[in-house]
Amino acid sequence: MSTLVASDLDRTLIYSAAALDLAMPDAEAPRLLCVEVYEHKPLSYMTETAAGLLAELADTTTFVPTTTRTREQYGRIHLPGRAPRFAICANGGHLLVDGESDRDWQRTVAARLTAECATLDEVRAHLLRSADPAWLLKERVAEDLFAYLVVERSLLPQTWVKELAEWADARGWTVSLQGRKIYAVPKPLTKSAAVAEVARRTGAAQTLAAGDSLLDADLLLAADRGWRPGHGELAASGWDAPHVTALSERGVAAGEKILRAFTRAAAAPARSC
Ligand SMILES: [Mg+2]
């Protein structure tokens, strides 16, 4: 039975130093593998055990890294194991096939966004008009598809994100707060839509998924089985679904647990009868 494993990366499989959450005594901390370097410095890690599990999983399933990162940001990550045939970047905006963005998929996405959503320019203008320079650190556009702000969380008013989400919702956009980043993303730009396309092309019999943020909710809902870590936007909001396991593990330990769960589920898929 062929299994497609579509997993978010940041704070699901890979973790920055700040997100590792190494709660155990130092002498018992797991050995870590650095999987991303940014500006000549180590940035993202997984445990050595998780790295071994991922390498195995990449041999036995169709493993699809499924990220909101841009292609450039994704390109900095060097996951263990064989290079994935498919990868999903820009929250579903780019479907990489053997490292190249699929043109047919780009056209499909562009048509949906034009038909269903306010333009990126309109949303950016609103973001810049309403954000306060007191807490706004950076404003960025990703792949000409969506925008995000980097903010000083301690100064960010709680109500601002809620008001932005309401404004955006009426215009076909969704808002997600992850760490220091506030994402504004067109609603049809989803990880699940791109995963469905990979499932169609590969004929996968079951799909497993994992993710930690609101932008992963559709990915988890569309999968046959899913897992979410004990930290992150979904955990904080108490989000759940019957086929999604809410793990108690937090930080890099959750990444390892998720890979174990993928491995077990791929080896013994749930029977439909
Ligand atoms: Mg994430």
Side-chain angles (χ1 to χ4, degrees):
M1 188 172 183
S2 63
T3 298
L4 194 165
V5 178
S7 182
D8 174 50
L9 297 177
D10 291 272
R11 298 186 190 212
T12 296
L13 292 188
I14 70 173
Y15 292 79
S16 67
L20 288 171
D21 202 354
L22 298 169
M24 68 294 284
D26 289 348
E28 293 164 26
R31 192 149 47 206
L32 299 171
L33 177 73
C34 176
V35 294
E36 180 184 23
V37 169
Y38 180 54
E39 294 182 337
H40 314 291
K41 291 184 183 132
L43 183 60
S44 300
Y45 304 86
M46 56 202 310
T47 68
E48 200 173 66
T49 303
L53 290 166
L54 179 54
E56 258 175 58
L57 197 71
D59 278 337
T60 54
T61 68
T62 303
F63 172 68
V64 184
T66 305
T67 179
T68 303
R69 286 182 177 226
T70 63
R71 286 170 288 173
E72 186 186 347
Q73 291 164 342
Y74 170 69
R76 294 197 302 255
I77 302 173
H78 298 288
L79 293 173
R82 70 167 67 199
R85 170 100 206 277
F86 298 98
I88 292 164
C89 293
N91 213 58
H94 286 281
L95 171 57
L96 306 190
V97 183
D98 295 324
E100 294 291 321
S101 183
D102 187 90
R103 291 292 179 90
D104 289 340
W105 183 246
Q106 284 181 26
R107 277 191 284 273
T108 302
V109 168
R112 278 187 202 159
L113 300 195
T114 303
E116 299 172 34
C117 309
T119 64
L120 175 61
D121 284 349
E122 183 187 343
V123 174
R124 274 190 81 193
H126 179 81
L127 286 174
L128 290 172
R129 206 167 42 234
S130 61
D132 186 337
W135 46 258
L136 178 63
L137 303 176
K138 289 181 207 165
E139 187 258 351
R140 292 282 183 272
V141 167
E143 303 268 20
D144 282 327
L145 289 168
F146 62 91
Y148 62 91
L149 307 179
V150 182
V151 300
E152 178 57 56
R153 276 290 287 268
S154 60
L155 299 176
L156 178 72
Q158 300 237 339
T159 51
W160 192 82
V161 177
K162 190 165 173 283
E163 283 166 16
L164 173 65
E166 284 166 10
W167 181 92
D169 185 62
R171 288 159 181 83
W173 285 61
T174 192
V175 170
S176 172
L177 176 63
Q178 298 176 41
R180 299 191 314 147
K181 290 180 180 167
I182 300 170
Y183 290 87
V185 178
K187 284 185 190 172
L189 194 70
T190 62
K191 293 180 174 183
S192 62
V195 169
E197 177 66 10
V198 176
R200 191 185 69 76
R201 293 187 191 190
T202 59
Q206 73 162 349
T207 299
L208 310 176
D212 69 299
S213 84
L214 199 56
L215 291 172
D216 299 313
D218 70 284
L219 173 70
L220 291 166
L221 285 175
D224 295 298
R225 293 184 68 188
W227 289 265
R228 69 147 170 85
H231 61 262
E233 205 177 10
L234 293 177
S237 65
W239 185 94
D240 65 1
H243 65 288
V244 176
T245 303
L247 298 172
S248 57
E249 285 82 359
R250 302 170 57 88
V252 76
E256 197 176 298
K257 186 77 184 249
I258 286 165
L259 285 162
R260 282 192 200 286
F262 281 155
T263 303
R264 265 199 301 273
R271 299 267 181 266
S272 57
C273 55

